[in-house]
Amino acid sequence: MTVRPLADGATLRAAEPGDEDGILAGIHALAVYEREPDAVANTASALADTLFGPAPAAFCHVVEREGRIVGIALWFLTYSTWTGRHGIWLEDLHVDETERGRGYGKALIASLAELCVQRGYSRLEWTVLDWNAPSIAFYRALGAEPMDEWTTQRLTGEPLTVLARHAAS
């Protein structure tokens, strides 16, 4: 990804080593916005391993303005057995509250859509909380459609551990 100029002197680019603290700050700010301020266990060191280690499995685009990361789009690849092609899962999208309205969120999502098209990926997907009306309106304005009848399922903690024991049986 090339560095792209945005409004007000900001730039959009792929994350690089040294961005971990700024990315983590965006993750924390998103957790606060999503009413889970104490849920983030991630660290800058873990992000460095995940994003820049020998076999990165997640990626991040950032918006930088005046030397500070003000927006993040953290993503990873998915695979559709139905289309036989990869897609992108947008795990976190966040733009600092004071920087909203400048087009940074749209630029971040558009950069992922561009990757999908360039690489022949079949989809760009993410989840949004049901109560998050401003984000839902933003996504609808981009042309995103809700996936009715699909509910995200998750195993964590003890249920995950218990089920894992069955694999060894």
Side-chain angles (χ1 to χ4, degrees):
M1 161 176 221
T2 60
V3 176
R4 294 201 180 130
L6 300 175
D8 302 317
T11 57
L12 170 65
R13 61 176 174 76
E16 53 193 37
D19 289 339
E20 298 88 354
D21 287 334
I23 295 167
L24 188 58
I27 293 168
H28 278 285
L30 181 59
V32 168
Y33 178 78
E34 292 183 347
R35 305 174 185 164
E36 294 280 345
D38 300 320
V40 178
N42 207 346
T43 65
S45 176
L47 277 172
D49 290 343
T50 299
L51 299 173
F52 312 117
F59 310 91
C60 190
H61 292 178
V62 300
V63 172
E64 183 177 20
R65 183 166 181 260
E66 298 176 353
R68 189 172 70 85
I69 292 175
V70 298
I72 62 168
L74 206 140
W75 58 278
F76 55 88
L77 293 180
T78 61
Y79 180 75
S80 168
T81 57
W82 289 11
T83 67
R85 298 183 351 221
H86 283 292
I88 288 178
W89 183 268
L90 174 58
E91 181 65 19
D92 283 347
L93 176 71
H94 184 266
V95 174
D96 289 357
E97 192 171 342
T98 60
E99 302 293 330
R100 293 183 188 152
R102 300 174 195 259
Y104 300 161
K106 184 176 183 179
L108 284 162
I109 290 182
S111 72
L112 299 183
E114 180 182 42
L115 270 181
C116 286
V117 170
Q118 287 174 346
R119 297 179 182 179
Y121 298 165
S122 60
R123 51 178 75 151
L124 170 57
E125 299 177 295
W126 62 92
T127 58
V128 61
L129 291 164
D130 290 338
W131 58 260
N132 192 347
S135 293
I136 292 169
F138 170 66
Y139 299 143
R140 293 300 168 274
L142 296 176
E145 299 176 2
M147 296 296 299
D148 294 334
E149 300 182 13
W150 291 84
T151 304
T152 302
Q153 304 296 304
R154 179 176 293 163
L155 279 171
T156 62
E158 185 62 22
L160 179 64
T161 303
V162 168
L163 186 58
R165 288 186 197 124
H166 289 284
S169 311

